[in-house]
Amino acid sequence: MIEYLYANNYKTLVNFEVKFNKTNVLIGKSGAGKSTVLFLLGCLRDFMAGTVNITECFPNFSKTVWYGSAVQTFEIGYLRDGKHFTYHLEIDHSENEQNCTVKYESVKYENTIILEEKNGKAELYNDDFELSNSIQADMSRSGLNFVFAGNGNKKLSEFKNEAVGNVIICEPNPKNMIVFSSNGIDNAFPDSSFSNIISVYAYLSQAHPEVIYKLWEQLREINPAFVQTNAKITQYGKTMYTSYNVGEESSAFSFNLMQLSDGERKLLALYLLLYAYLENGMTVLIDEPENYLGLREVQPWCAEVDMICNESENGGQCIFASHHPETIDYYANNSAIWMSRINSGESKIAMNNPLIFAEDDSLMKYSELIAKGYWNEAQ
């Protein structure tokens, strides 16, 4: 799981640090930096994975406008099986405005370096903390590109799996979900907007049918008319159909805008994220999951997140941003990270969380305190 994030000179994040638990909700007004935190975690994951170079992740305009430095600094703490890893990255924009380079990169295991990239070289250390490989590096890429399982580097491989393979970043958007999947190879993981949901569903149906059965059970609790959702092969490729009881018979509806609502498709995606990934120990990052959901559908999803993360034996970590009153009221006391934007323009973790009110219908809820302006986020 991700323990903390430090960022300096990135958009509104200046000398910014935030600590995470198993479940956290980023709360604050628009522009406070909630989505920026999630987006940054995604950029760092993609850079470590080697899918993009440093300039694609951190273009010149990602620097803080008023800060005046050419160097961006990031650090993430990870916890895996009781072991602490630290990832540190410094980016230099001084050469020109079009490209940047890795100034310094390191991975530490319990405060001891196991990977270091600087001055055009990537140095990898084995499990005995001895230098095992020194490689001429492309300073636009992460040194983790040279890490492969085996050869006495179990610690580095564990870190790469935790920081890259164990993190899902997804903002399910039903309007982007592709109705047909013509790709013959199904996907094990969702893309950033879950546009490949049919391909993922087909994969899970074959590889992890227990996830699909659990999904069906949960959706029946939410809507007793729900029967099941199936991936099918048609002349255009794979597609999905969802069956509902209509009167005394069951009818199948195509997984498209004309027959299923945005909310129905979004709900299916959100619970897939929980049962396929979060319940298997992964870190799941989501920006405003409640979009398109009905009011009575939000709290059950929050409760399921809470149960999986904090009560399930193999539960993972869920971090998401929200403006929704139901989410705010559900998580305010224990799991909320209250963010604000101070007058200088920087994002900060607000220190004065709202007063704790007794659970009494006659008293204001947290969301009402915010909506009516009784809680000043900036203090």
Side-chain angles (χ1 to χ4, degrees):
M1 63 173 274
I2 300 172
E3 291 189 288
Y4 70 87
L5 167 70
Y6 172 83
N8 189 40
N9 195 19
Y10 180 78
K11 298 185 178 181
T12 63
L13 307 182
V14 178
N15 197 26
F16 174 90
E17 183 171 2
V18 57
K19 297 180 181 179
F20 299 110
N21 297 318
K22 293 276 282 183
T23 308
N24 282 119
V25 182
L26 302 172
I27 297 173
K29 63 184 179 181
S30 298
K34 305 181 300 300
S35 297
T36 298
V37 168
L38 297 179
F39 188 77
L40 173 56
L41 288 169
C43 287
L44 289 167
R45 184 207 62 174
D46 292 345
F47 175 67
M48 287 186 271
T51 56
V52 290
N53 65 37
I54 196 71
T55 302
E56 291 174 296
C57 281
F58 302 98
N60 187 65
F61 59 78
S62 69
K63 294 185 298 178
T64 304
V65 173
W66 63 87
Y67 193 63
S69 172
V71 177
Q72 293 176 302
T73 304
F74 308 101
E75 189 168 291
I76 311 181
Y78 294 90
L79 179 65
R80 179 179 173 87
D81 298 330
K83 304 166 187 174
H84 295 273
F85 292 89
T86 305
Y87 177 77
H88 186 92
L89 175 67
E90 296 176 22
I91 302 168
D92 188 358
H93 291 265
S94 62
E95 288 190 13
N96 60 66
E97 294 185 357
Q98 301 302 318
N99 297 297
C100 58
T101 58
V102 175
K103 181 180 180 182
Y104 181 78
E105 182 185 34
S106 70
V107 177
K108 291 182 180 180
Y109 172 83
E110 301 289 0
N111 291 320
T112 301
I113 288 178
I114 54 176
L115 180 147
E116 192 170 42
E117 182 178 2
K118 62 180 179 179
N119 300 325
K121 283 190 177 181
E123 297 183 334
L124 282 64
Y125 294 78
N126 61 26
D127 292 334
D128 295 320
F129 307 109
E130 299 168 341
L131 181 63
S132 61
N133 210 347
S134 182
I135 305 164
Q136 194 69 31
D138 177 355
M139 298 306 286
S140 70
R141 297 282 178 176
S142 170
L144 287 167
N145 287 299
F146 302 109
V147 175
F148 302 97
N151 299 322
N153 66 347
K154 183 179 178 182
K155 293 181 177 65
L156 267 174
S157 296
E158 283 183 348
F159 168 77
K160 189 172 182 178
N161 182 66
E162 182 66 25
V164 176
N166 213 32
V167 177
I168 296 287
I169 301 164
C170 186
E171 184 181 354
N173 186 343
K175 296 190 183 300
N176 288 348
M177 293 176 183
I178 299 172
V179 177
F180 292 98
S181 172
S182 58
N183 190 349
I185 301 175
D186 294 324
N187 301 129
F189 301 101
D191 59 24
S192 60
S193 65
F194 225 143
S195 67
N196 63 340
I197 188 169
I198 291 175
S199 179
V200 171
Y201 195 92
Y203 169 83
L204 293 172
S205 297
Q206 296 296 317
H208 300 286
E210 71 282 358
V211 169
I212 302 302
Y213 297 144
K214 188 163 187 176
L215 172 71
W216 290 352
E217 290 177 2
Q218 181 63 35
L219 293 179
R220 287 177 193 135
E221 284 189 23
I222 297 169
N223 182 357
F226 174 86
V227 179
Q228 63 185 31
T229 295
N230 291 309
K232 296 183 178 181
I233 298 177
T234 72
Q235 60 179 325
Y236 304 106
K238 294 188 183 75
T239 189
M240 287 204 307
Y241 289 89
T242 297
S243 299
Y244 290 94
N245 287 321
V246 181
E248 297 181 357
E249 298 182 355
S250 174
S251 298
F253 298 87
S254 176
F255 195 76
N256 62 41
L257 287 168
M258 302 301 293
Q259 297 194 11
L260 287 184
S261 71
D262 288 335
E264 288 172 307
R265 293 183 295 153
K266 176 69 175 278
L267 203 62
L268 187 145
L270 286 175
Y271 280 103
L272 268 184
L273 287 173
L274 300 195
Y275 299 141
Y277 310 107
L278 189 65
E279 200 162 54
N280 286 292
M282 301 185 76
T283 291
V284 178
L285 310 176
I286 316 173
D287 196 4
E288 298 193 46
E290 315 89 342
N291 289 345
Y292 301 101
L293 296 191
L295 193 61
R296 294 178 63 182
E297 295 166 341
V298 176
Q299 194 174 106
W301 186 82
C302 291
E304 196 72 359
V305 168
D306 214 24
M307 187 277 294
I308 292 173
C309 290
N310 299 302
E311 298 180 26
S312 176
E313 182 178 354
N314 298 316
Q317 176 186 31
C318 190
I319 304 169
F320 62 98
S322 178
H323 287 286
H324 200 284
E326 287 292 319
T327 303
I328 292 172
D329 294 334
Y330 186 90
Y331 285 109
N333 279 345
N334 301 317
S335 301
I337 295 174
W338 301 83
M339 293 189 65
S340 65
R341 187 92 171 265
I342 60 177
N343 292 335
S344 61
E346 301 167 17
S347 295
K348 294 291 183 182
I349 303 300
M351 301 304 294
N352 65 331
N353 292 359
L355 296 175
I356 298 176
F357 283 69
E359 293 184 1
D360 187 325
D361 290 339
S362 65
L363 298 178
M364 280 190 184
K365 297 180 179 179
Y366 294 97
S367 56
E368 291 179 301
L369 288 172
I370 296 170
K372 293 181 182 295
Y374 295 150
W375 178 60
N376 184 1
E377 301 167 289
Q379 294 181 359

